[in-house]
Amino acid sequence: MGDFGTIAGGHKDTVDAAENILKDGGNSFDAAVAGVFVSFVAEFLYTGPAGGGALLACQKNRSPVLFDFFVESPAVKGKKVGDFQKIVADFGDTKQNFHIGMGSVGVPGALPGLIQIHKKLGRLPFSVLVEQAVFLAKRGTKVSKNQEYLTSVLAPVVASSEKIKKLFLKDGKLLRYGDRFYNPEMGSFLESFLHEDPESFYRNEVCPLFSEHFSSGRVVSLEDLLNYKVKERVPLFQSYGGCDIFTNPLPSTGGTMILGALKTLEKKIGVGPEEIEKALISAQLFNNRLSSAVGSTTHLSIIDKNNNVASVTTTNGVGAGKLIGNTGVMPNNMLGEEHLNPFGFHAWPKKQRIPSNIAPTIVFKNGKPVVAVGSAGSSRIISAVICVLANLINNKMSIEESIVSPRLHIEDGVLHHEPFEEKGSLYSFESKDVVSWKEKNMYFGGVNAAGIRSSFGDDRRSGYSR
């Protein structure tokens, strides 16, 4: 481990912000909160203050706790919903429908989640954890290669609002790799957290403001925002290959499916693509309705010098395509993503967390945490984490090797795999339909992992590590 700890995240600025907090005497949880705030700026199309997520926290010598601050659906059934439009995202090989507008917004948990995590586990003042995000929103942050690609794919979301379009245009063209992304209005919005008590500011100022602008969707009320509760859950636990794995419990489905798949690999040393395929089949990923081509999600893993561990995944869906007033904040569109609404749009009969695949995970060995891991990628979160854990534990690979190695994924009965060093024809896969990708791709997730001595950010999504 370095002087301050190890970090892996979705953008250089996110990781730098977390590192600066560790250097200033903050712990992993301070660093995670600061990193997530910066990701709202640096990873705008992946996450945001009106999105949701989950953080798996392990204080030194204490049992892990899962902070669930994922997006919630109020009771929607029977409401006359407004501002709800279909868009089509073009991935080249495939197209996917989404719905955006204020009628697609679920009750966000990101800000309440960060506030509660800091209150329970933080060491530095909350204002210190927001400063870097305020600075970068006004100074600008560099667009990564993966963000350039996602910006083009989500061009219909970007183009749905003149204000959002202005954020992403330079000389009349969409921002490209190396350009700077500025969001001064979000900087001004977040700046209030530098001077106000975070809880009272959120309840008395942010909730009424959000409610006013969500009202055109006729779904989320002020009462829904004020009554949102961050849930502290007991993580799922499973012994595996001489290690102990803790991950996200229900109502999130990701952790359950990951642990279910790993059971099939329990006794094996040196697993290859065929064994991984069987594990994915056993997890019934092809029946998983929580699937999506985008996976606009990001993950941050941190272990500090005192072995406090934070593994946090946040998401905004593809975003609702509109900003909240003059805040620079685009809310989530979780009620407009078909895979998250299996009973149909706006059919939720009661208030409940929307199910998701996000799976912040921590691996222990001999009673001590050794790796914090998680991924972006919607349905591919599950297969990506399975592949990485199998490489780490069964194949005894390093963190970097485990993440760089080719991945497999099963979607709708079709096996997708990245190129192997050996020819794919050497493998006798059980799946009848096999798609062999010619190169590694963001489709297969974005795993960012921090260990005691090393960390690695997934190149598939322009990940970064210290």
Side-chain angles (χ1 to χ4, degrees):
M1 183 185 285
D3 291 340
F4 303 101
T6 57
I7 312 164
H11 192 281
K12 181 180 185 300
D13 286 339
T14 301
V15 172
D16 285 350
E19 183 185 34
N20 290 337
I21 292 299
L22 295 183
K23 287 180 176 179
D24 285 346
N27 58 26
S28 284
F29 317 114
D30 292 314
V33 171
V36 171
F37 266 112
V38 165
S39 73
F40 294 160
V41 180
E43 305 175 60
F44 182 87
L45 288 177
Y46 297 84
T47 184
L55 182 144
L56 183 55
C58 183
Q59 291 178 283
K60 187 177 181 180
N61 299 326
R62 294 197 183 181
S63 299
V65 177
L66 190 286
F67 289 82
D68 173 358
F69 53 95
F70 202 72
V71 175
E72 193 162 78
S73 173
V76 187
K77 203 168 185 178
K79 288 185 178 178
K80 186 177 180 181
V81 176
D83 191 15
F84 191 70
Q85 310 95 37
K86 185 173 86 170
I87 62 159
V88 180
D90 189 346
F91 296 87
D93 294 334
T94 184
K95 294 183 179 180
Q96 188 172 7
N97 297 331
F98 295 94
H99 287 77
I100 60 173
M102 291 304 182
S104 72
V105 179
V107 184
L111 290 176
L114 297 178
I115 291 167
Q116 183 157 326
I117 290 160
H118 169 261
K119 183 178 180 180
K120 292 289 184 76
L121 303 176
R123 181 185 296 167
L124 300 181
F126 194 81
S127 58
V128 172
L129 309 183
V130 186
E131 286 174 342
Q132 296 177 87
V134 172
F135 175 75
L136 286 167
K138 295 181 179 182
R139 192 204 68 175
T141 178
K142 283 190 177 180
V143 175
S144 69
K145 289 182 179 178
N146 186 243
Q147 287 171 307
E148 176 188 330
Y149 169 73
L150 193 61
T151 302
S152 64
V153 167
L154 297 183
V157 177
V158 171
S160 62
S161 157
E162 287 300 318
K163 290 191 76 169
I164 297 177
K165 195 188 297 185
K166 284 181 182 177
L167 291 176
F168 283 93
L169 288 181
K170 179 182 178 183
D171 300 327
K173 296 181 179 178
L174 289 174
L175 293 176
R176 306 195 57 162
Y177 169 55
D179 288 339
R180 297 197 81 82
F181 173 80
Y182 299 90
N183 194 344
E185 286 190 337
M186 185 185 287
S188 297
F189 168 68
L190 295 178
E191 199 165 13
S192 296
F193 282 106
L194 305 185
H195 314 292
E196 306 275 355
D197 172 76
E199 281 187 277
S200 59
F201 174 66
Y202 180 73
R203 290 187 64 83
N204 298 328
E205 303 291 338
V206 176
C207 287
L209 177 65
F210 281 13
S211 173
E212 177 189 346
H213 290 277
F214 293 167
S215 63
S216 61
R218 297 198 287 273
V219 174
V220 176
S221 69
L222 177 59
E223 185 181 17
D224 292 324
L225 294 166
L226 292 172
N227 289 340
Y228 181 92
K229 295 286 188 292
V230 179
K231 306 282 189 183
E232 294 182 26
R233 305 189 191 275
V234 176
L236 286 179
F237 162 79
Q238 183 169 296
S239 293
Y240 175 73
C243 297
D244 292 325
I245 300 175
F246 293 84
T247 189
N248 199 5
L250 295 171
S252 173
T253 58
T256 301
M257 297 183 77
I258 288 167
L259 296 186
L262 289 177
K263 283 182 180 177
T264 67
L265 303 173
E266 171 72 46
K267 307 290 185 185
K268 297 179 180 177
I269 299 174
V271 299
E274 291 156 314
E275 287 86 1
I276 296 288
E277 182 208 21
K278 290 173 184 175
L280 299 183
I281 290 172
S282 75
Q284 297 184 322
L285 292 185
F286 50 86
N287 286 330
N288 178 21
R289 300 191 69 172
L290 300 179
S291 59
S292 162
V294 181
S296 297
T297 307
T298 189
H299 183 83
L300 178 63
S301 293
I302 304 170
I303 303 180
D304 68 24
K305 64 181 180 182
N306 294 318
N307 275 9
N308 296 300
V309 187
S311 179
V312 56
T313 309
T314 60
T315 182
N316 208 31
V318 300
K322 292 184 178 179
L323 298 183
I324 301 171
N326 296 322
T327 64
V329 174
M330 177 168 62
N332 70 83
N333 75 317
M334 298 300 183
L335 299 185
E337 300 216 10
E338 189 173 354
H339 61 286
L340 296 181
N341 297 271
F343 303 108
F345 293 123
H346 306 113
W348 297 100
K350 63 180 181 178
K351 182 174 75 172
Q352 61 191 99
R353 288 292 201 271
I354 297 173
S356 80
N357 284 322
I358 62 174
T361 300
I362 300 176
V363 179
F364 283 66
K365 193 162 189 177
N366 300 321
K368 295 182 179 179
V370 290
V371 181
V373 65
S375 182
S378 196
S379 63
R380 278 91 59 219
I381 289 173
I382 298 166
S383 55
V385 173
I386 290 169
C387 289
V388 170
L389 290 179
N391 286 332
L392 276 170
I393 299 171
N394 299 77
N395 296 335
K396 312 297 182 188
M397 291 183 181
S398 69
I399 289 176
E400 180 175 349
E401 289 172 326
S402 298
I403 293 173
V404 169
S405 292
R407 291 192 195 132
L408 299 84
H409 176 72
I410 294 176
E411 189 84 47
D412 296 326
V414 179
L415 172 68
H416 298 260
H417 72 81
E418 294 179 316
F420 305 114
E421 289 183 9
E422 311 89 348
K423 290 184 179 178
S425 59
L426 294 175
Y427 299 109
S428 52
F429 291 120
E430 291 186 12
S431 301
K432 292 180 181 179
D433 295 321
V434 179
V435 177
S436 303
W437 292 58
K438 294 180 180 178
E439 57 187 24
K440 292 175 186 172
N441 190 276
M442 72 169 284
Y443 173 83
F444 293 90
V447 179
N448 299 318
I452 297 298
R453 296 180 184 84
S454 65
S455 57
F456 194 75
D458 200 333
D459 291 338
R460 293 172 182 81
R461 292 187 177 228
S462 302
Y464 191 80
S465 63
R466 288 287 195 196

